[in-house]
Amino acid sequence: MAAVSPLEPASFLARAKRIVVKLGSALLVGADGAPRRAWLETLAEDLAALHARADVLIVSSGAIAMGRGPIGYGTRALRLEESQAAAAVGQIALAAEWATVLGAQGMRAAQVLLTVRDTEERRAYLNARTTLAELLRARCVPVINENDTIATNEIRYGDNDRLAARVATMISADCLVLFSDVDGLYTAPPADDPDARLIESVPRLTEEIYAMAGDAGSALSRGGMKTKLDAARIATEAGVAMAIASGRVDHPLTALEAGGRATWFHPRTDPVTARKVWISGSLQAAGSLTLDDGAVAAVQRGRSLLPAGVRAVSGDFCRGDAVRLVDSEGREIGRGLVAYDASDARLIAGQKTHSLPAIVGARARATMVHRDDMALHFAPPEAP
Ligand code: GLU
């Protein structure tokens, strides 16, 4: 193992005790639809070295890519139900491939298929977490994918980058590595701009960083750079370091740990509570509340959001749903579980607390979003 100083980002990997490694379809499956066995064997050797000193979880795409040939779809574009059917065929071969390559290195693979619902509903989330914890205790290597076959259009992850980030926060990993065919975040999409530079280290996700991401993805993978930054937000806010690195080399983990090309996103150093991690990583905000400047300042000082500070309400949500909290310029500053249904929220937005009973009667509550039910993102970039 290469010696790394604590200041070198690659040390996030060297020091990690629980690591999630996400692999994109294009790495796992060749253009012929067959697994890239030789490369997978080099990865499995790296994983074995890691597993000797840490818990390891894999988030693996590739079910659709491996199933589309055998089911007879070839390489054409697929409708949703065709993708789901291809995944049903391909997932068997994908899981078998992992069992083989991990097994050859003395590791036991355990297949786990998750849907958004399993990570968005608190009870299902806690259930999935308990099972994963037991698999790790038993020294298995969970091999996780989206349960494509039963996920519906509305409740799909749509990409495994975010699923991987959700899994990493769910089981309190300290490091998440996204391997794909890109080696990191560039100052501009490299295909459009020959002067684009790789950014090696992102201490904090800012709007400038988001502006650098294009929407590019390869033919086989659905996750572009934007979804990787979404994953970075979910992970880093929960205290998980994240790397985007190329899997287009043999022994990709050894290369990364030796300081290979990558973008490292630093974890937040004041990780929030487990409940807030769950709120902040929610993917399916049911609506949004626009806060006035005073309310933005108040919630950033740790106060609850009062109805008086809400300027606008959008979406159709129920009490207890996750909503986006946005400032007057439309920037998302955080997420929270809202204490009112959307129709009541519209009635009381901007109203003083003492006037609430007259408007919504017994449904009146002092706060629109209680501070314990709120998770703020990193503070927006400081003014120059
Ligand atoms: N779950 C999909 C599959 O296994 C891939 C999703 C993704 O690549 O993000 O084929």
Side-chain angles (χ1 to χ4, degrees):
M1 191 192 305
V4 279
S5 88
L7 291 174
E8 283 182 53
S11 70
F12 287 128
L13 181 56
R15 285 178 297 171
K17 291 268 160 264
R18 186 169 280 185
I19 299 157
V20 177
V21 179
K22 184 262 170 179
L23 292 315
S25 300
L27 293 177
L28 287 159
V29 186
D32 58 356
R36 296 179 60 234
R37 172 66 68 88
W39 176 80
L40 272 167
E41 285 171 348
T42 74
L43 171 70
E45 279 179 32
D46 287 2
L47 290 169
L50 208 53
H51 192 242
R53 62 166 175 86
D55 291 333
V56 175
L57 300 94
I58 293 168
V59 173
S60 174
S61 304
I64 297 170
M66 282 175 78
R68 55 163 56 242
I71 201 174
Y73 298 152
T75 52
R76 67 177 169 81
L78 302 182
R79 295 195 308 272
L80 177 64
E81 67 274 20
E82 290 172 335
S83 299
Q84 295 186 286
V89 171
Q91 182 63 36
I92 298 175
L94 180 63
E97 183 67 16
W98 280 112
T100 301
V101 297
L102 296 181
Q105 295 294 329
M107 290 174 283
R108 186 170 304 281
Q111 174 183 261
V112 178
L113 300 177
L114 294 173
T115 59
V116 170
R117 205 192 294 123
D118 302 322
T119 59
E120 299 284 283
E121 276 173 23
R122 184 90 178 136
R123 189 191 296 256
Y125 175 91
L126 296 175
N127 222 341
R129 189 171 71 172
T130 307
T131 307
L132 287 172
E134 172 56 19
L135 286 169
L136 296 177
R137 193 205 55 73
R139 297 298 289 145
C140 297
V141 176
V143 177
I144 302 161
N145 196 357
E146 182 169 9
N147 195 348
D148 289 306
T149 306
I150 64 159
T152 65
N153 208 2
E154 296 75 42
I155 53 160
R156 283 183 71 81
Y157 267 102
D159 70 82
N160 276 356
D161 296 329
R162 290 184 306 187
L163 173 63
R166 253 336 217 160
V167 165
T169 64
M170 179 189 262
I171 44 93
S172 306
D174 18 48
C175 187
L176 165 64
V177 180
L178 303 183
F179 281 125
S180 70
D181 45 13
V182 297
D183 54 5
L185 173 70
Y186 283 76
T187 48
D192 308 344
D193 183 348
D195 296 330
R197 263 185 317 106
L198 179 82
I199 301 179
E200 289 174 359
S201 176
V202 178
R204 205 163 60 136
L205 274 170
T206 59
E207 280 176 63
E208 286 84 346
I209 295 292
Y210 268 95
M212 292 170 187
D215 264 328
S218 77
L220 278 177
S221 67
R222 279 181 288 179
M225 192 50 74
K226 284 220 161 61
T227 70
K228 290 186 172 32
L229 294 186
D230 284 345
R233 178 180 69 74
I234 294 168
T236 56
E237 290 191 356
V240 183
M242 191 188 101
I244 299 174
S246 172
R248 288 276 171 217
V249 289
D250 287 349
H251 293 287
L253 279 165
T254 306
L256 182 61
E257 201 165 324
R261 275 170 84 77
T263 301
W264 277 98
F265 296 84
H266 298 220
R268 184 173 173 148
T269 49
D270 56 337
V272 287
T273 65
R275 181 176 160 74
K276 292 200 175 198
V277 164
W278 175 69
I279 295 170
S280 153
S282 64
L283 300 177
Q284 296 200 299
S288 61
L289 305 175
T290 305
L291 280 56
D292 65 24
D293 294 347
V296 169
V299 299
Q300 283 176 341
R301 284 198 310 273
R303 303 277 172 76
S304 294
L305 173 62
L306 304 180
V310 176
R311 282 173 41 168
V313 175
S314 76
D316 183 20
F317 48 82
C318 298
R319 180 172 133 67
D321 282 349
V323 293
R324 302 168 62 235
L325 307 177
V326 299
D327 70 11
S328 52
E329 284 166 49
R331 284 182 297 230
E332 179 173 320
I333 60 159
R335 299 208 172 185
L337 306 182
V338 64
Y340 286 93
D341 292 344
S343 53
D344 281 349
R346 288 194 170 83
L347 291 174
I348 60 167
Q351 302 293 333
K352 293 268 182 282
T353 303
H354 63 79
S355 59
L356 302 180
I359 307 170
V360 290
R363 296 192 303 283
R365 283 158 206 283
T367 64
M368 184 74 98
V369 178
H370 192 273
R371 60 201 176 110
D372 293 344
D373 294 338
M374 192 186 299
L376 297 183
H377 302 327
F378 283 133
E382 281 111 31

